[in-house]
Amino acid sequence: MSLTKTENELLNAIELLKRKQWVDLTHTFGPDSPHFAAFEDAEITTLFTHDDGFFAQRFKFPGQYGTHIDAPIHFVPGDRRYLEDLELKELVLPLVVIDKSKEAEENNDFVLSVDDILEFEKEHGRIEAGTFVALRTDWSKRWPDKEAFENKDTEGNSHTPGWGIAALQFLFEERNINAVGHETFDTDAAIDVRKNGSLIGEYYVLEQDTYQIELLTNLDKVPAKGAVIFSISPKPEKATGFPVRSFAILP
């Protein structure tokens, strides 16, 4: 294949993609944004202004802040991959969106089950291997209200939806998917965290030597199948995770 033909194929591909609809799946975050309870608020400091000749800022926040990517090492000890070790092609995957927004609205403690996945497949067909599966709960619509996002009861317990461990095992072991994403702080529903005493779902996902994207948004603008998700982030050294710019291109 000649170089000219290859260049034309790439240019044609770009032109095709730009004719499609693009959906930003990423929250804009700042000091007042919702975040995992153990973390402090982000800090954004002005270092230089235009009066100094240029405008520059310092950003201080945990790696798992805003819409972000978790690398395997985030939860799993040992010789596990950091963010810098993820291959570029892993970060571009066919996107499947399981819509359980109605269920999560009716029951904030909703936990996705294997039956939910099988029900989805009856309508949309089998979930293909190598895909990125996102759980849509519309929890992102609570952003940027911290109290609404945490959704605590009078005893201080959060009530947020999430993945069931059996559902995750089914997707990775029976459907051979590549990665998952969701709209909440954690992979696990808050009720399961209290029951199990830990984030067993999150540990399981990262134990598969893959990544996940947390705090996604705009999943209501993406079809159940047919879109492609891109998750682009900086490449800090030995990072367990980092804010990400995730977006989808629709078919």
Side-chain angles (χ1 to χ4, degrees):
M1 182 179 295
S2 68
L3 180 59
T4 301
K5 185 175 181 180
T6 303
E7 289 174 341
N8 287 342
E9 287 180 347
L10 290 174
L11 292 175
N12 290 339
I14 292 172
E15 290 177 2
L16 172 64
L17 292 176
K18 288 194 173 183
R19 289 197 298 269
K20 303 295 184 179
Q21 182 180 353
W22 295 42
V23 176
D24 194 347
L25 303 179
T26 309
H27 288 291
T28 299
F29 73 85
D32 298 323
S33 299
H35 57 77
F36 184 63
F39 297 148
E40 297 180 352
D41 293 344
E43 297 179 18
I44 303 175
T45 306
T46 297
L47 298 178
F48 299 96
T49 69
H50 290 125
D51 290 337
D52 302 307
F54 59 91
F55 185 23
Q57 300 156 293
R58 176 188 290 119
F59 297 87
K60 180 181 178 182
F61 48 78
Q64 282 72 25
Y65 206 90
T67 304
H68 64 269
I69 184 170
D70 289 331
I73 194 68
H74 177 45
F75 260 61
V76 187
D79 187 20
R80 296 291 176 160
R81 291 192 296 169
Y82 289 87
L83 182 56
E84 65 195 89
D85 300 316
L86 299 177
E87 298 293 335
L88 290 175
K89 290 183 180 180
E90 293 181 71
L91 304 177
V92 181
L93 296 172
L95 175 60
V96 173
V97 179
I98 299 176
D99 180 7
K100 289 299 175 181
S101 55
K102 181 179 179 181
E103 290 82 351
E105 181 180 8
E106 294 174 351
N107 174 20
N108 295 164
D109 291 318
F110 172 79
V111 179
L112 188 79
S113 68
V114 174
D115 286 342
D116 291 320
I117 298 171
L118 295 176
E119 178 184 331
F120 172 89
E121 292 188 326
K122 285 181 181 178
E123 181 177 357
H124 301 286
R126 185 183 177 97
I127 294 174
E128 296 85 354
T131 53
F132 181 108
V133 181
L135 174 58
R136 175 188 163 191
T137 58
D138 283 355
W139 209 256
S140 60
K141 295 182 183 297
R142 296 169 178 252
W143 190 279
D145 188 324
K146 286 184 177 181
E147 289 187 6
F149 223 88
E150 293 175 351
N151 196 37
K152 292 182 178 180
D153 59 26
T154 55
E155 296 179 353
N157 294 315
S158 290
H159 296 271
T160 56
W163 301 90
I165 183 64
L168 290 169
Q169 290 170 335
F170 178 83
L171 286 171
F172 280 99
E173 298 171 25
E174 300 296 328
R175 294 297 182 261
N176 298 309
I177 69 166
N178 272 27
V180 298
H182 39 271
E183 300 178 57
T184 49
F185 296 133
D186 299 314
T187 315
D188 306 70
I191 192 171
D192 276 352
V193 177
R194 290 193 293 276
K195 180 177 68 176
N196 299 320
S198 64
L199 291 162
I200 63 172
E202 186 152 351
Y203 189 100
Y204 172 79
V205 170
L206 299 179
E207 192 178 29
Q208 308 313 302
D209 192 36
T210 190
Y211 65 91
Q212 64 174 10
I213 307 294
E214 297 192 299
L215 294 173
L216 287 164
T217 188
N218 290 331
L219 291 176
D220 57 324
K221 299 178 181 178
V222 181
K225 281 187 172 184
V228 175
I229 184 171
F230 294 70
S231 296
I232 309 302
S233 76
K235 195 178 177 183
E237 184 177 358
K238 299 302 180 186
T240 66
F242 213 78
V244 71
R245 188 69 181 266
S246 291
F247 62 93
I249 300 180
L250 276 52

